[in-house]
Structure formats: structure tokens, C-alpha cells
Amino acid sequence: MADGSTTTIRATFETREAADLAVEHLVQQHGISRPDIFIQSAGDRNTAGSVPSGGDASHEEGARPDAPLEGEIEVSADIASSQLAAVQRSLGDAGALRVSSR
């Protein structure tokens, strides 16, 4: 009989680009539904990450000075406990700074 328990997994990223890549890994590689994945600031302030990326980094004169680089971004999802090791690897491959579960 299969274990139906779930685990909440959280990972933090330096950039919104890396967080978005992690979401794609969760959806495409692990079959996690997008509405079950949450992206938010890891701190109290609104943020696009802690370093420029994507559109913030590709501005004509270099990185945009008005990007809200106020801290890390957290991606979290409830996953089947049996997926924990594989999801941890995927999040690491996507550039996670830290991965935790409970």
C-alpha cells in the first residue's frame, strides 16, 4: 500500500528567474499542479530577488536601478513524501540557495 503522506518543501532563490525555473521543474518533471506552488518574498519586503536577472539585468545601460532587489524569493509546495529526494535535487539544479521540508 502506498504512503499518501505529504510534505511541504521550501526553497529560496537569489533571482525571480531561478524561482520561475524551479516552478517549471516542479510542474514538468514532477507533475505538481501550478496552483499548488507558491512564490513569495522570503522576507517582509516586496522583492524581485537579491541580484538582477532577466529584464532587470538586460537593460540598455546595465542593470535597472529601480528593480526591487530587497531579498530572496521563496518557492513552496506540498508534495508527496515519496517525491522529496527527487524534488530537492530539482530545486538544487534550478539554483536553490537553501531547501527545507517539514
Side-chain angles (χ1 to χ4, degrees):
M1 188 163 165
D3 179 8
S5 64
T6 61
T7 298
T8 300
I9 192 160
R10 287 183 168 74
T12 56
F13 297 88
E14 274 189 310
T15 66
R16 178 60 191 233
E17 183 178 34
D20 288 341
L21 178 62
V23 170
E24 292 307 313
H25 282 247
L26 294 175
V27 171
Q28 295 176 13
Q29 295 176 359
H30 303 287
I32 299 169
S33 178
R34 281 184 201 278
D36 295 330
I37 302 169
F38 302 92
I39 302 173
Q40 64 185 20
S41 171
D44 294 336
R45 303 201 57 172
N46 185 26
T47 185
S50 55
V51 297
S53 70
D56 294 334
S58 62
H59 194 262
E60 289 175 4
E61 289 92 39
R64 288 178 51 163
D66 62 341
L69 301 176
E70 304 292 339
E72 297 168 353
I73 298 173
E74 179 183 271
V75 173
S76 63
D78 290 337
I79 62 168
S81 294
S82 62
Q83 293 181 292
L84 183 59
V87 170
Q88 286 174 325
R89 278 191 302 278
S90 287
L91 293 170
D93 290 347
L97 299 172
R98 287 176 300 287
V99 178
S100 63
S101 61
R102 61 176 173 103

